[in-house]
Amino acid sequence: MTADRDSQLKHFETIAAFPANVTTYDDKLFDQEVEFLGGQKARQLFAEVANNIKPVAPAKGDHVARSIVLENALMEVLDEDKDIKTALAEAERLIKRRTRNL
């Protein structure tokens, strides 16, 4: 998806892809009521929250942690009924081991 204002607004309107481009937050789409949320103008709140998110610089080991947690631990919990605390403890051990030299 592009960062272009018009493209992001088009995707927001057609597939509800919330825009990352903050220059879109003044568009009339944000003033519409959201029926699913009881008619609230929730998009205004979403935009306010998005404007207050502080960027976080990725760490060197983030890609390793993502892989271990999402591709291993989560699948073990969902598909193999592994205990959540056990899966997370094993994931933590693997992350520490695989990122110790980064």
Side-chain angles (χ1 to χ4, degrees):
M1 197 176 300
T2 177
D4 174 69
R5 176 186 165 90
D6 292 334
S7 295
Q8 287 206 0
L9 286 170
K10 176 184 170 197
H11 288 102
F12 185 40
E13 185 172 23
T14 57
I15 63 171
F18 192 83
N21 184 339
V22 297
T23 68
T24 62
Y25 299 166
D26 63 354
D27 191 85
K28 63 183 183 216
L29 283 172
F30 287 86
D31 294 329
Q32 294 177 358
E33 295 177 351
V34 180
E35 184 179 335
F36 175 76
L37 297 174
Q40 297 179 69
K41 293 185 178 182
R43 294 171 175 163
Q44 292 174 348
L45 177 60
F46 299 159
E48 181 183 333
V49 169
N51 270 326
N52 290 316
I53 295 173
K54 300 208 181 336
V56 176
K60 288 182 180 181
D62 283 357
H63 66 289
V64 174
R66 181 204 55 79
S67 173
I68 290 170
V69 171
L70 294 180
E71 295 171 16
N72 295 11
L74 179 60
M75 294 299 104
E76 290 172 347
V77 169
L78 295 177
D79 296 338
E80 300 169 20
D81 293 322
K82 184 176 247 181
D83 176 70
I84 294 171
K85 289 183 180 183
T86 302
L88 288 175
E90 290 176 8
E92 180 181 22
R93 183 183 55 77
L94 284 171
I95 291 167
K96 286 179 179 177
R97 189 174 94 209
R98 292 186 188 170
T99 58
R100 67 178 173 236
N101 294 322
L102 293 181

